[in-house]
Amino acid sequence: MQNLPKNKKIILFDGVCNLCDSAVQFIIKRDQKDIFRFVALQSDLGQKICSHIGVDQKKNDSIILYEPGIAYYHKSEAALKIASELGGFYGFLAVLNVFPKKINDIIYDYIAKNRYRWYGKKEQCMIPTPELRAKFLE
């Protein structure tokens, strides 16, 4: 884990989920401060990071925001922290933190449970274009 960039926040996402892929593209376009790097949960590195932070991938159905050496967040907490880092209008989504995490996670879990049915699933993880390759860790 020492090869991970210390000054970047790492988003671990479901690489075969169309909703997750759209969310990654959305974040990349709005990451004006170049804060984030991305890793598919299904990748070797994604599995190593999950093992390192103690997340059982068999029980994980969530996006994970990992700040190397600091902390990790998942489910609604990760989504809201990512939104707040994007700033502008998206930063205002942090007001949803006034609701108990449990309530936010119920909504998050409902979407996560239905994401393949609603948005579909890819046969394999997205392969980034050469321009975006620097945003993805391998």
Side-chain angles (χ1 to χ4, degrees):
M1 297 295 95
Q2 50 270 41
N3 292 336
L4 295 177
K6 302 289 186 241
N7 60 343
K8 302 294 179 189
K9 297 178 181 187
I10 300 169
I11 297 175
L12 293 106
F13 66 99
D14 181 345
V16 297
C17 168
N18 286 333
L19 174 62
C20 303
D21 178 57
S22 294
V24 166
Q25 297 303 319
F26 179 89
I27 294 165
I28 288 171
K29 287 179 184 173
R30 288 156 183 83
D31 184 15
Q32 300 298 317
K33 299 179 201 167
D34 193 33
I35 296 169
F36 300 110
R37 292 296 177 265
F38 303 88
V39 176
L41 285 163
Q42 294 86 347
S43 71
D44 288 341
L45 181 57
Q47 292 175 15
K48 286 178 186 172
I49 292 171
C50 285
S51 177
H52 176 72
I53 62 177
V55 172
D56 182 355
Q57 277 200 285
K58 292 180 179 131
K59 295 180 182 175
N60 180 48
D61 195 18
S62 170
I63 191 169
I64 298 171
L65 175 62
Y66 176 49
E67 297 181 39
I70 300 173
Y72 76 91
Y73 311 93
H74 62 94
K75 295 190 179 190
S76 65
E77 187 176 27
L80 293 174
K81 285 194 176 288
I82 291 166
S84 69
E85 289 288 355
L86 294 177
F89 167 78
Y90 309 105
F92 289 114
L93 292 174
V95 301
L96 294 174
N97 283 319
V98 300
F99 298 107
K101 184 178 179 312
K102 188 172 186 171
I103 290 174
N104 288 341
D105 281 347
I106 288 170
I107 296 166
Y108 183 95
D109 287 339
Y110 179 73
I111 294 167
K113 183 175 129 184
N114 292 291
R115 70 185 188 272
Y116 293 144
R117 187 164 33 108
W118 293 343
Y119 299 97
K121 185 175 177 180
K122 300 176 187 313
E123 292 297 317
Q124 62 183 21
C125 293
M126 171 190 74
I127 299 173
T129 64
E131 299 84 33
L132 293 181
R133 193 164 310 243
K135 294 272 189 185
F136 291 82
L137 304 177
E138 294 180 17

